[in-house]
mmCIF file of all heavy atoms in Angstrom:
data_model
loop_
_atom_site.group_PDB
_atom_site.id
_atom_site.type_symbol
_atom_site.label_atom_id
_atom_site.label_comp_id
_atom_site.label_asym_id
_atom_site.label_seq_id
_atom_site.Cartn_x
_atom_site.Cartn_y
_atom_site.Cartn_z
ATOM 1 N N GLY A 312 -17.084 34.411 84.323
ATOM 2 C CA GLY A 312 -15.961 34.296 83.404
ATOM 3 C C GLY A 312 -14.603 34.480 84.042
ATOM 4 O O GLY A 312 -13.609 34.678 83.340
ATOM 5 N N LYS A 372 -5.899 24.054 72.751
ATOM 6 C CA LYS A 372 -5.807 25.503 72.950
ATOM 7 C C LYS A 372 -4.900 26.131 71.890
ATOM 8 O O LYS A 372 -5.245 27.144 71.289
ATOM 9 C CB LYS A 372 -5.223 25.820 74.342
ATOM 10 C CG LYS A 372 -6.054 25.423 75.524
ATOM 11 C CD LYS A 372 -7.301 26.257 75.672
ATOM 12 C CE LYS A 372 -7.006 27.734 75.805
ATOM 13 N NZ LYS A 372 -8.265 28.503 75.941
ATOM 14 N N PHE A 375 -6.529 26.016 68.431
ATOM 15 C CA PHE A 375 -7.576 27.024 68.293
ATOM 16 C C PHE A 375 -6.978 28.416 68.078
ATOM 17 O O PHE A 375 -7.394 29.167 67.198
ATOM 18 C CB PHE A 375 -8.499 27.051 69.526
ATOM 19 C CG PHE A 375 -9.545 28.112 69.426
ATOM 20 C CD1 PHE A 375 -10.733 27.866 68.768
ATOM 21 C CD2 PHE A 375 -9.311 29.392 69.940
ATOM 22 C CE1 PHE A 375 -11.691 28.875 68.622
ATOM 23 C CE2 PHE A 375 -10.251 30.396 69.798
ATOM 24 C CZ PHE A 375 -11.448 30.134 69.145
ATOM 25 N N ARG A 382 -7.126 33.564 60.922
ATOM 26 C CA ARG A 382 -8.295 34.370 60.591
ATOM 27 C C ARG A 382 -7.961 35.865 60.586
ATOM 28 O O ARG A 382 -8.565 36.652 59.874
ATOM 29 C CB ARG A 382 -9.402 34.119 61.622
ATOM 30 C CG ARG A 382 -10.747 34.110 60.990
ATOM 31 C CD ARG A 382 -11.939 34.095 61.857
ATOM 32 N NE ARG A 382 -12.938 33.124 61.428
ATOM 33 C CZ ARG A 382 -13.414 33.054 60.198
ATOM 34 N NH1 ARG A 382 -13.022 33.875 59.259
ATOM 35 N NH2 ARG A 382 -14.313 32.139 59.913
ATOM 36 N N MET A 383 -6.981 36.242 61.414
ATOM 37 C CA MET A 383 -6.557 37.642 61.465
ATOM 38 C C MET A 383 -5.561 37.982 60.363
ATOM 39 O O MET A 383 -5.112 39.122 60.273
ATOM 40 C CB MET A 383 -5.878 37.931 62.815
ATOM 41 C CG MET A 383 -6.765 37.777 64.024
ATOM 42 S SD MET A 383 -5.785 37.807 65.563
ATOM 43 C CE MET A 383 -7.035 37.238 66.744
ATOM 44 N N GLY A 396 -6.436 36.717 77.818
ATOM 45 C CA GLY A 396 -7.165 37.055 76.589
ATOM 46 C C GLY A 396 -7.399 35.842 75.712
ATOM 47 O O GLY A 396 -8.352 35.800 74.932
ATOM 48 N N GLU A 496 0.221 46.696 64.429
ATOM 49 C CA GLU A 496 -0.752 47.336 63.529
ATOM 50 C C GLU A 496 -0.618 48.855 63.562
ATOM 51 O O GLU A 496 -0.854 49.525 62.569
ATOM 52 C CB GLU A 496 -2.177 46.934 63.911
ATOM 53 C CG GLU A 496 -2.475 45.457 63.763
ATOM 54 C CD GLU A 496 -2.480 45.009 62.313
ATOM 55 O OE1 GLU A 496 -2.900 45.791 61.443
ATOM 56 O OE2 GLU A 496 -2.030 43.880 62.053
ATOM 57 N N TYR A 500 -0.037 51.346 60.570
ATOM 58 C CA TYR A 500 -1.029 52.406 60.372
ATOM 59 C C TYR A 500 -0.363 53.770 60.227
ATOM 60 O O TYR A 500 -0.836 54.635 59.489
ATOM 61 C CB TYR A 500 -1.994 52.416 61.558
ATOM 62 C CG TYR A 500 -3.213 53.272 61.324
ATOM 63 C CD1 TYR A 500 -4.212 52.850 60.452
ATOM 64 C CD2 TYR A 500 -3.361 54.501 61.947
ATOM 65 C CE1 TYR A 500 -5.322 53.628 60.220
ATOM 66 C CE2 TYR A 500 -4.475 55.282 61.722
ATOM 67 C CZ TYR A 500 -5.452 54.840 60.859
ATOM 68 O OH TYR A 500 -6.559 55.625 60.626
ATOM 69 N N ARG A 503 0.402 55.684 56.853
ATOM 70 C CA ARG A 503 -0.501 56.507 56.062
ATOM 71 C C ARG A 503 -0.219 57.987 56.228
ATOM 72 O O ARG A 503 -0.686 58.802 55.443
ATOM 73 C CB ARG A 503 -1.959 56.166 56.351
ATOM 74 C CG ARG A 503 -2.523 56.686 57.635
ATOM 75 C CD ARG A 503 -4.048 56.785 57.560
ATOM 76 N NE ARG A 503 -4.669 55.497 57.322
ATOM 77 C CZ ARG A 503 -5.859 55.344 56.746
ATOM 78 N NH1 ARG A 503 -6.549 56.395 56.373
ATOM 79 N NH2 ARG A 503 -6.367 54.153 56.572
ATOM 80 N N PHE A 504 0.508 58.345 57.292
ATOM 81 C CA PHE A 504 0.820 59.763 57.507
ATOM 82 C C PHE A 504 2.281 60.093 57.177
ATOM 83 O O PHE A 504 2.702 61.232 57.339
ATOM 84 C CB PHE A 504 0.541 60.139 58.961
ATOM 85 C CG PHE A 504 -0.837 59.769 59.420
ATOM 86 C CD1 PHE A 504 -1.035 58.757 60.347
ATOM 87 C CD2 PHE A 504 -1.944 60.435 58.923
ATOM 88 C CE1 PHE A 504 -2.312 58.400 60.765
ATOM 89 C CE2 PHE A 504 -3.222 60.097 59.336
ATOM 90 C CZ PHE A 504 -3.411 59.080 60.255
ATOM 91 N N ASP A 614 2.925 68.309 61.689
ATOM 92 C CA ASP A 614 1.651 67.772 61.192
ATOM 93 C C ASP A 614 0.981 66.781 62.153
ATOM 94 O O ASP A 614 -0.180 66.920 62.479
ATOM 95 C CB ASP A 614 1.862 67.044 59.859
ATOM 96 C CG ASP A 614 2.207 68.001 58.740
ATOM 97 O OD1 ASP A 614 2.242 69.210 58.995
ATOM 98 O OD2 ASP A 614 2.470 67.528 57.619
ATOM 99 N N LEU A 627 -7.521 54.465 80.062
ATOM 100 C CA LEU A 627 -7.812 55.171 78.808
ATOM 101 C C LEU A 627 -8.293 56.609 79.006
ATOM 102 O O LEU A 627 -7.781 57.525 78.363
ATOM 103 C CB LEU A 627 -8.811 54.356 77.972
ATOM 104 C CG LEU A 627 -9.133 54.917 76.595
ATOM 105 C CD1 LEU A 627 -7.897 55.001 75.704
ATOM 106 C CD2 LEU A 627 -10.197 54.070 75.905
ATOM 107 N N TYR A 635 -4.840 65.553 75.660
ATOM 108 C CA TYR A 635 -5.476 66.862 75.451
ATOM 109 C C TYR A 635 -4.745 67.964 76.204
ATOM 110 O O TYR A 635 -4.584 69.076 75.716
ATOM 111 C CB TYR A 635 -6.928 66.836 75.924
ATOM 112 C CG TYR A 635 -7.897 66.150 74.998
ATOM 113 C CD1 TYR A 635 -8.890 65.324 75.489
ATOM 114 C CD2 TYR A 635 -7.837 66.344 73.625
ATOM 115 C CE1 TYR A 635 -9.814 64.707 74.649
ATOM 116 C CE2 TYR A 635 -8.740 65.725 72.772
ATOM 117 C CZ TYR A 635 -9.723 64.901 73.298
ATOM 118 O OH TYR A 635 -10.613 64.301 72.473
ATOM 119 N N ASP A 636 -4.346 67.668 77.439
ATOM 120 C CA ASP A 636 -3.697 68.694 78.256
ATOM 121 C C ASP A 636 -2.304 69.036 77.745
ATOM 122 O O ASP A 636 -1.750 70.073 78.115
ATOM 123 C CB ASP A 636 -3.552 68.213 79.715
ATOM 124 C CG ASP A 636 -4.893 68.145 80.426
ATOM 125 O OD1 ASP A 636 -5.858 68.743 79.910
ATOM 126 O OD2 ASP A 636 -4.971 67.498 81.486
ATOM 127 N N GLU A 640 -2.094 73.685 70.620
ATOM 128 C CA GLU A 640 -3.205 74.137 69.774
ATOM 129 C C GLU A 640 -2.639 74.691 68.463
ATOM 130 O O GLU A 640 -1.523 75.232 68.481
ATOM 131 C CB GLU A 640 -3.978 75.264 70.481
ATOM 132 C CG GLU A 640 -4.958 74.803 71.523
ATOM 133 C CD GLU A 640 -6.227 74.208 70.935
ATOM 134 O OE1 GLU A 640 -6.356 74.131 69.688
ATOM 135 O OE2 GLU A 640 -7.090 73.804 71.720
ATOM 136 N N TYR A 642 -5.098 71.608 67.513
ATOM 137 C CA TYR A 642 -4.940 70.186 67.259
ATOM 138 C C TYR A 642 -6.310 69.564 66.964
ATOM 139 O O TYR A 642 -7.355 70.167 67.260
ATOM 140 C CB TYR A 642 -4.354 69.493 68.492
ATOM 141 C CG TYR A 642 -5.406 69.383 69.573
ATOM 142 C CD1 TYR A 642 -6.251 68.274 69.638
ATOM 143 C CD2 TYR A 642 -5.610 70.436 70.452
ATOM 144 C CE1 TYR A 642 -7.267 68.220 70.578
ATOM 145 C CE2 TYR A 642 -6.622 70.379 71.398
ATOM 146 C CZ TYR A 642 -7.456 69.267 71.443
ATOM 147 O OH TYR A 642 -8.467 69.239 72.349
ATOM 148 N N SER A 643 -6.282 68.356 66.387
ATOM 149 C CA SER A 643 -7.454 67.477 66.378
ATOM 150 C C SER A 643 -6.972 66.077 66.714
ATOM 151 O O SER A 643 -5.842 65.725 66.384
ATOM 152 C CB SER A 643 -8.124 67.442 65.005
ATOM 153 O OG SER A 643 -8.689 68.677 64.687
ATOM 154 N N LEU A 644 -7.829 65.307 67.354
ATOM 155 C CA LEU A 644 -7.503 63.915 67.658
ATOM 156 C C LEU A 644 -8.062 63.057 66.524
ATOM 157 O O LEU A 644 -9.273 62.993 66.324
ATOM 158 C CB LEU A 644 -8.135 63.534 68.990
ATOM 159 C CG LEU A 644 -7.888 62.119 69.501
ATOM 160 C CD1 LEU A 644 -6.406 61.845 69.683
ATOM 161 C CD2 LEU A 644 -8.624 61.897 70.805
ATOM 162 N N PRO A 652 -4.824 42.640 67.189
ATOM 163 C CA PRO A 652 -5.860 41.677 67.582
ATOM 164 C C PRO A 652 -5.316 40.343 68.093
ATOM 165 O O PRO A 652 -6.079 39.570 68.676
ATOM 166 C CB PRO A 652 -6.689 41.497 66.307
ATOM 167 C CG PRO A 652 -5.781 41.900 65.203
ATOM 168 C CD PRO A 652 -4.899 42.964 65.758
ATOM 169 N N ILE A 656 -8.117 40.634 74.882
ATOM 170 C CA ILE A 656 -8.220 40.939 76.306
ATOM 171 C C ILE A 656 -9.561 40.473 76.857
ATOM 172 O O ILE A 656 -10.492 40.186 76.115
ATOM 173 C CB ILE A 656 -8.052 42.450 76.574
ATOM 174 C CG1 ILE A 656 -8.937 43.244 75.595
ATOM 175 C CG2 ILE A 656 -6.607 42.859 76.438
ATOM 176 C CD1 ILE A 656 -8.762 44.732 75.677
ATOM 177 N N ARG A 657 -9.628 40.397 78.161
ATOM 178 C CA ARG A 657 -10.885 40.140 78.844
ATOM 179 C C ARG A 657 -11.106 41.266 79.844
ATOM 180 O O ARG A 657 -10.254 42.119 80.048
ATOM 181 C CB ARG A 657 -10.853 38.775 79.545
ATOM 182 C CG ARG A 657 -10.988 37.628 78.545
ATOM 183 C CD ARG A 657 -10.813 36.297 79.212
ATOM 184 N NE ARG A 657 -11.851 36.014 80.164
ATOM 185 C CZ ARG A 657 -13.044 35.494 79.845
ATOM 186 N NH1 ARG A 657 -13.322 35.196 78.599
ATOM 187 N NH2 ARG A 657 -13.928 35.251 80.776
ATOM 188 N N ARG A 658 -12.263 41.272 80.424
ATOM 189 C CA ARG A 658 -12.654 42.331 81.355
ATOM 190 C C ARG A 658 -11.522 42.732 82.300
ATOM 191 O O ARG A 658 -10.871 41.882 82.880
ATOM 192 C CB ARG A 658 -13.839 41.816 82.169
ATOM 193 C CG ARG A 658 -14.536 42.874 82.939
ATOM 194 C CD ARG A 658 -15.980 42.454 83.213
ATOM 195 N NE ARG A 658 -16.824 43.612 83.119
ATOM 196 C CZ ARG A 658 -18.116 43.573 82.889
ATOM 197 N NH1 ARG A 658 -18.724 42.445 82.698
ATOM 198 N NH2 ARG A 658 -18.802 44.673 82.809
ATOM 199 N N GLU A 661 -8.433 46.053 79.737
ATOM 200 C CA GLU A 661 -8.544 46.739 78.448
ATOM 201 C C GLU A 661 -7.638 47.950 78.313
ATOM 202 O O GLU A 661 -7.526 48.527 77.259
ATOM 203 C CB GLU A 661 -10.003 47.120 78.149
ATOM 204 C CG GLU A 661 -10.676 47.951 79.207
ATOM 205 C CD GLU A 661 -11.306 47.064 80.287
ATOM 206 O OE1 GLU A 661 -11.082 45.847 80.254
ATOM 207 O OE2 GLU A 661 -11.994 47.587 81.133
ATOM 208 N N TYR A 671 -2.103 68.530 63.757
ATOM 209 C CA TYR A 671 -2.016 69.956 64.097
ATOM 210 C C TYR A 671 -2.323 70.795 62.879
ATOM 211 O O TYR A 671 -2.039 70.395 61.755
ATOM 212 C CB TYR A 671 -0.613 70.305 64.610
ATOM 213 C CG TYR A 671 -0.204 69.453 65.773
ATOM 214 C CD1 TYR A 671 0.637 68.366 65.591
ATOM 215 C CD2 TYR A 671 -0.703 69.701 67.037
ATOM 216 C CE1 TYR A 671 0.986 67.551 66.653
ATOM 217 C CE2 TYR A 671 -0.361 68.888 68.106
ATOM 218 C CZ TYR A 671 0.484 67.814 67.908
ATOM 219 O OH TYR A 671 0.828 67.006 68.954
ATOM 220 N N GLU A 672 -2.894 71.964 63.137
ATOM 221 C CA GLU A 672 -3.136 72.922 62.058
ATOM 222 C C GLU A 672 -2.158 74.066 62.188
ATOM 223 O O GLU A 672 -1.826 74.482 63.287
ATOM 224 C CB GLU A 672 -4.552 73.497 62.148
ATOM 225 C CG GLU A 672 -5.592 72.630 61.488
ATOM 226 C CD GLU A 672 -6.891 73.357 61.228
ATOM 227 O OE1 GLU A 672 -6.867 74.565 60.945
ATOM 228 O OE2 GLU A 672 -7.939 72.709 61.301
ATOM 229 N N GLY B 159 -8.861 76.240 74.178
ATOM 230 C CA GLY B 159 -9.181 75.675 72.874
ATOM 231 C C GLY B 159 -10.668 75.582 72.587
ATOM 232 O O GLY B 159 -11.084 74.873 71.668
ATOM 233 N N LYS B 219 -9.089 76.999 55.032
ATOM 234 C CA LYS B 219 -9.555 75.861 55.853
ATOM 235 C C LYS B 219 -9.764 74.623 54.979
ATOM 236 O O LYS B 219 -9.322 73.528 55.315
ATOM 237 C CB LYS B 219 -10.886 76.202 56.547
ATOM 238 C CG LYS B 219 -10.844 77.284 57.594
ATOM 239 C CD LYS B 219 -10.086 76.889 58.828
ATOM 240 C CE LYS B 219 -10.685 75.674 59.504
ATOM 241 N NZ LYS B 219 -9.921 75.353 60.730
ATOM 242 N N PHE B 222 -6.444 73.263 53.684
ATOM 243 C CA PHE B 222 -5.709 72.535 54.721
ATOM 244 C C PHE B 222 -6.316 71.148 54.940
ATOM 245 O O PHE B 222 -5.607 70.134 55.011
ATOM 246 C CB PHE B 222 -5.702 73.317 56.040
ATOM 247 C CG PHE B 222 -5.009 72.565 57.128
ATOM 248 C CD1 PHE B 222 -3.635 72.655 57.284
ATOM 249 C CD2 PHE B 222 -5.725 71.708 57.972
ATOM 250 C CE1 PHE B 222 -2.982 71.917 58.252
ATOM 251 C CE2 PHE B 222 -5.071 70.960 58.933
ATOM 252 C CZ PHE B 222 -3.695 71.067 59.077
ATOM 253 N N ARG B 229 -2.948 63.206 53.153
ATOM 254 C CA ARG B 229 -1.988 62.577 54.049
ATOM 255 C C ARG B 229 -2.528 61.255 54.608
ATOM 256 O O ARG B 229 -1.775 60.341 54.920
ATOM 257 C CB ARG B 229 -1.685 63.519 55.213
ATOM 258 C CG ARG B 229 -0.254 63.507 55.589
ATOM 259 C CD ARG B 229 0.188 64.107 56.824
ATOM 260 N NE ARG B 229 1.398 64.898 56.658
ATOM 261 C CZ ARG B 229 2.514 64.460 56.104
ATOM 262 N NH1 ARG B 229 2.613 63.230 55.667
ATOM 263 N NH2 ARG B 229 3.537 65.246 56.000
ATOM 264 N N MET B 230 -3.865 61.191 54.742
ATOM 265 C CA MET B 230 -4.482 59.956 55.247
ATOM 266 C C MET B 230 -4.684 58.924 54.145
ATOM 267 O O MET B 230 -5.191 57.834 54.395
ATOM 268 C CB MET B 230 -5.864 60.278 55.844
ATOM 269 C CG MET B 230 -5.843 61.203 57.043
ATOM 270 S SD MET B 230 -7.530 61.770 57.456
ATOM 271 C CE MET B 230 -7.128 63.084 58.646
ATOM 272 N N GLY B 243 -13.930 69.063 65.035
ATOM 273 C CA GLY B 243 -12.708 68.282 64.862
ATOM 274 C C GLY B 243 -11.786 68.897 63.824
ATOM 275 O O GLY B 243 -10.570 68.717 63.860
ATOM 276 N N GLU B 343 -13.223 52.643 57.759
ATOM 277 C CA GLU B 343 -12.052 51.819 58.084
ATOM 278 C C GLU B 343 -12.451 50.538 58.806
ATOM 279 O O GLU B 343 -11.807 49.502 58.649
ATOM 280 C CB GLU B 343 -11.068 52.604 58.953
ATOM 281 C CG GLU B 343 -10.480 53.828 58.288
ATOM 282 C CD GLU B 343 -9.538 53.470 57.145
ATOM 283 O OE1 GLU B 343 -8.845 52.439 57.245
ATOM 284 O OE2 GLU B 343 -9.521 54.211 56.141
ATOM 285 N N ARG B 350 -10.594 41.203 57.446
ATOM 286 C CA ARG B 350 -9.568 40.267 57.905
ATOM 287 C C ARG B 350 -10.154 39.052 58.606
ATOM 288 O O ARG B 350 -9.469 38.051 58.778
ATOM 289 C CB ARG B 350 -8.536 40.971 58.776
ATOM 290 C CG ARG B 350 -8.915 41.251 60.189
ATOM 291 C CD ARG B 350 -7.675 41.422 61.069
ATOM 292 N NE ARG B 350 -6.822 42.504 60.607
ATOM 293 C CZ ARG B 350 -5.512 42.568 60.844
ATOM 294 N NH1 ARG B 350 -4.914 41.611 61.521
ATOM 295 N NH2 ARG B 350 -4.808 43.581 60.434
ATOM 296 N N PHE B 351 -11.415 39.159 59.019
ATOM 297 C CA PHE B 351 -12.048 38.019 59.694
ATOM 298 C C PHE B 351 -13.084 37.308 58.812
ATOM 299 O O PHE B 351 -13.709 36.358 59.246
ATOM 300 C CB PHE B 351 -12.741 38.489 60.980
ATOM 301 C CG PHE B 351 -11.852 39.278 61.881
ATOM 302 C CD1 PHE B 351 -12.037 40.644 62.056
ATOM 303 C CD2 PHE B 351 -10.801 38.670 62.551
ATOM 304 C CE1 PHE B 351 -11.203 41.383 62.889
ATOM 305 C CE2 PHE B 351 -9.962 39.396 63.383
ATOM 306 C CZ PHE B 351 -10.161 40.756 63.550
ATOM 307 N N ASP B 461 -17.700 32.589 65.489
ATOM 308 C CA ASP B 461 -16.300 33.026 65.644
ATOM 309 C C ASP B 461 -16.153 34.480 66.124
ATOM 310 O O ASP B 461 -15.460 34.741 67.091
ATOM 311 C CB ASP B 461 -15.559 32.919 64.308
ATOM 312 C CG ASP B 461 -15.356 31.481 63.876
ATOM 313 O OD1 ASP B 461 -15.747 30.580 64.631
ATOM 314 O OD2 ASP B 461 -14.817 31.267 62.783
ATOM 315 N N LEU B 474 -17.607 55.504 76.117
ATOM 316 C CA LEU B 474 -16.784 54.325 75.843
ATOM 317 C C LEU B 474 -16.773 53.302 76.988
ATOM 318 O O LEU B 474 -16.965 52.106 76.742
ATOM 319 C CB LEU B 474 -15.353 54.770 75.481
ATOM 320 C CG LEU B 474 -14.400 53.645 75.085
ATOM 321 C CD1 LEU B 474 -14.893 52.907 73.853
ATOM 322 C CD2 LEU B 474 -13.004 54.197 74.816
ATOM 323 N N TYR B 482 -19.188 43.461 77.421
ATOM 324 C CA TYR B 482 -18.805 42.376 78.335
ATOM 325 C C TYR B 482 -20.021 41.695 78.955
ATOM 326 O O TYR B 482 -20.060 40.477 79.114
ATOM 327 C CB TYR B 482 -17.929 42.904 79.466
ATOM 328 C CG TYR B 482 -16.501 43.184 79.097
ATOM 329 C CD1 TYR B 482 -15.852 44.314 79.573
ATOM 330 C CD2 TYR B 482 -15.769 42.310 78.294
ATOM 331 C CE1 TYR B 482 -14.528 44.580 79.263
ATOM 332 C CE2 TYR B 482 -14.455 42.577 77.975
ATOM 333 C CZ TYR B 482 -13.834 43.706 78.456
ATOM 334 O OH TYR B 482 -12.540 43.962 78.151
ATOM 335 N N ASP B 483 -21.012 42.506 79.348
ATOM 336 C CA ASP B 483 -22.191 41.937 80.007
ATOM 337 C C ASP B 483 -23.051 41.128 79.048
ATOM 338 O O ASP B 483 -23.880 40.346 79.484
ATOM 339 C CB ASP B 483 -23.067 43.065 80.592
ATOM 340 C CG ASP B 483 -22.405 43.737 81.788
ATOM 341 O OD1 ASP B 483 -21.452 43.151 82.331
ATOM 342 O OD2 ASP B 483 -22.842 44.836 82.168
ATOM 343 N N GLU B 487 -19.896 33.561 76.809
ATOM 344 C CA GLU B 487 -18.610 32.947 77.155
ATOM 345 C C GLU B 487 -18.411 31.713 76.283
ATOM 346 O O GLU B 487 -19.384 31.060 75.913
ATOM 347 C CB GLU B 487 -18.620 32.503 78.624
ATOM 348 C CG GLU B 487 -18.370 33.604 79.620
ATOM 349 C CD GLU B 487 -16.911 34.048 79.689
ATOM 350 O OE1 GLU B 487 -16.069 33.519 78.937
ATOM 351 O OE2 GLU B 487 -16.640 34.951 80.485
ATOM 352 N N TYR B 489 -15.342 34.262 75.550
ATOM 353 C CA TYR B 489 -15.058 35.296 74.558
ATOM 354 C C TYR B 489 -13.695 35.907 74.849
ATOM 355 O O TYR B 489 -13.149 35.766 75.948
ATOM 356 C CB TYR B 489 -16.117 36.410 74.639
ATOM 357 C CG TYR B 489 -15.897 37.236 75.880
ATOM 358 C CD1 TYR B 489 -15.056 38.347 75.853
ATOM 359 C CD2 TYR B 489 -16.445 36.856 77.098
ATOM 360 C CE1 TYR B 489 -14.784 39.056 77.012
ATOM 361 C CE2 TYR B 489 -16.180 37.558 78.258
ATOM 362 C CZ TYR B 489 -15.343 38.662 78.205
ATOM 363 O OH TYR B 489 -15.048 39.355 79.345
ATOM 364 N N SER B 490 -13.158 36.627 73.849
ATOM 365 C CA SER B 490 -12.069 37.572 74.081
ATOM 366 C C SER B 490 -12.385 38.832 73.296
ATOM 367 O O SER B 490 -13.022 38.760 72.242
ATOM 368 C CB SER B 490 -10.726 37.020 73.586
ATOM 369 O OG SER B 490 -10.318 35.925 74.348
ATOM 370 N N LEU B 491 -11.946 39.966 73.802
ATOM 371 C CA LEU B 491 -12.129 41.218 73.089
ATOM 372 C C LEU B 491 -10.869 41.455 72.265
ATOM 373 O O LEU B 491 -9.787 41.630 72.814
ATOM 374 C CB LEU B 491 -12.344 42.343 74.101
ATOM 375 C CG LEU B 491 -12.578 43.744 73.556
ATOM 376 C CD1 LEU B 491 -13.813 43.804 72.675
ATOM 377 C CD2 LEU B 491 -12.709 44.728 74.709
ATOM 378 N N PRO B 499 -10.100 58.381 60.401
ATOM 379 C CA PRO B 499 -9.324 59.586 60.761
ATOM 380 C C PRO B 499 -9.809 60.857 60.073
ATOM 381 O O PRO B 499 -9.402 61.941 60.491
ATOM 382 C CB PRO B 499 -7.896 59.232 60.338
ATOM 383 C CG PRO B 499 -8.042 58.163 59.320
ATOM 384 C CD PRO B 499 -9.263 57.392 59.701
ATOM 385 N N ILE B 503 -11.595 64.598 66.154
ATOM 386 C CA ILE B 503 -12.402 65.092 67.267
ATOM 387 C C ILE B 503 -11.576 66.003 68.163
ATOM 388 O O ILE B 503 -10.351 66.027 68.089
ATOM 389 C CB ILE B 503 -12.965 63.920 68.099
ATOM 390 C CG1 ILE B 503 -11.860 62.904 68.394
ATOM 391 C CG2 ILE B 503 -14.135 63.281 67.403
ATOM 392 C CD1 ILE B 503 -12.335 61.670 69.091
ATOM 393 N N ARG B 504 -12.280 66.749 68.979
ATOM 394 C CA ARG B 504 -11.627 67.534 70.020
ATOM 395 C C ARG B 504 -12.232 67.140 71.350
ATOM 396 O O ARG B 504 -13.172 66.366 71.427
ATOM 397 C CB ARG B 504 -11.803 69.030 69.747
ATOM 398 C CG ARG B 504 -10.909 69.514 68.601
ATOM 399 C CD ARG B 504 -11.210 70.938 68.235
ATOM 400 N NE ARG B 504 -10.874 71.848 69.308
ATOM 401 C CZ ARG B 504 -9.659 72.340 69.531
ATOM 402 N NH1 ARG B 504 -8.659 72.006 68.745
ATOM 403 N NH2 ARG B 504 -9.439 73.180 70.526
ATOM 404 N N ARG B 505 -11.663 67.651 72.408
ATOM 405 C CA ARG B 505 -12.089 67.307 73.760
ATOM 406 C C ARG B 505 -13.617 67.251 73.890
ATOM 407 O O ARG B 505 -14.320 68.135 73.437
ATOM 408 C CB ARG B 505 -11.558 68.376 74.702
ATOM 409 C CG ARG B 505 -11.618 68.001 76.137
ATOM 410 C CD ARG B 505 -10.569 68.774 76.923
ATOM 411 N NE ARG B 505 -10.043 67.929 77.960
ATOM 412 C CZ ARG B 505 -8.870 68.099 78.532
ATOM 413 N NH1 ARG B 505 -8.090 69.060 78.154
ATOM 414 N NH2 ARG B 505 -8.462 67.271 79.459
ATOM 415 N N GLU B 508 -15.170 62.579 72.192
ATOM 416 C CA GLU B 508 -14.439 61.379 71.801
ATOM 417 C C GLU B 508 -15.297 60.116 71.794
ATOM 418 O O GLU B 508 -14.851 59.082 71.347
ATOM 419 C CB GLU B 508 -13.191 61.169 72.669
ATOM 420 C CG GLU B 508 -13.418 61.158 74.156
ATOM 421 C CD GLU B 508 -13.407 62.572 74.737
ATOM 422 O OE1 GLU B 508 -13.364 63.538 73.957
ATOM 423 O OE2 GLU B 508 -13.471 62.704 75.939
ATOM 424 N N TYR B 518 -14.961 34.374 69.853
ATOM 425 C CA TYR B 518 -15.495 33.332 70.744
ATOM 426 C C TYR B 518 -14.699 32.053 70.583
ATOM 427 O O TYR B 518 -14.199 31.757 69.506
ATOM 428 C CB TYR B 518 -16.973 33.046 70.423
ATOM 429 C CG TYR B 518 -17.808 34.287 70.466
ATOM 430 C CD1 TYR B 518 -18.174 34.947 69.304
ATOM 431 C CD2 TYR B 518 -18.200 34.837 71.684
ATOM 432 C CE1 TYR B 518 -18.924 36.113 69.351
ATOM 433 C CE2 TYR B 518 -18.946 35.996 71.741
ATOM 434 C CZ TYR B 518 -19.300 36.629 70.565
ATOM 435 O OH TYR B 518 -20.032 37.786 70.620
ATOM 436 N N GLU B 519 -14.610 31.313 71.667
ATOM 437 C CA GLU B 519 -13.974 29.997 71.617
ATOM 438 C C GLU B 519 -15.023 28.904 71.728
ATOM 439 O O GLU B 519 -16.013 29.078 72.429
ATOM 440 C CB GLU B 519 -12.994 29.825 72.790
ATOM 441 C CG GLU B 519 -11.643 30.435 72.524
ATOM 442 C CD GLU B 519 -10.571 29.910 73.487
ATOM 443 O OE1 GLU B 519 -10.647 28.749 73.918
ATOM 444 O OE2 GLU B 519 -9.659 30.688 73.781
#
Side-chain angles (χ1 to χ4, degrees):
Chain A
K372 294 290 302 180
F375 178 86
R382 217 190 226 308
M383 297 168 192
E496 296 292 325
Y500 192 73
R503 76 157 61 205
F504 307 111
D614 291 358
L627 184 61
Y635 283 139
D636 290 344
E640 280 285 1
Y642 74 89
S643 293
L644 181 59
I656 47 185
R657 285 174 65 84
R658 193 156 217 158
E661 55 273 7
Y671 304 100
E672 275 196 34
Chain B
K219 294 292 300 181
F222 177 86
R229 220 193 224 307
M230 297 169 191
E343 297 291 326
R350 79 157 59 206
F351 308 109
D461 291 358
L474 184 61
Y482 283 139
D483 290 344
E487 280 285 1
Y489 73 89
S490 293
L491 181 60
I503 47 185
R504 286 173 66 84
R505 194 155 216 157
E508 54 275 7
Y518 305 101
E519 277 197 32

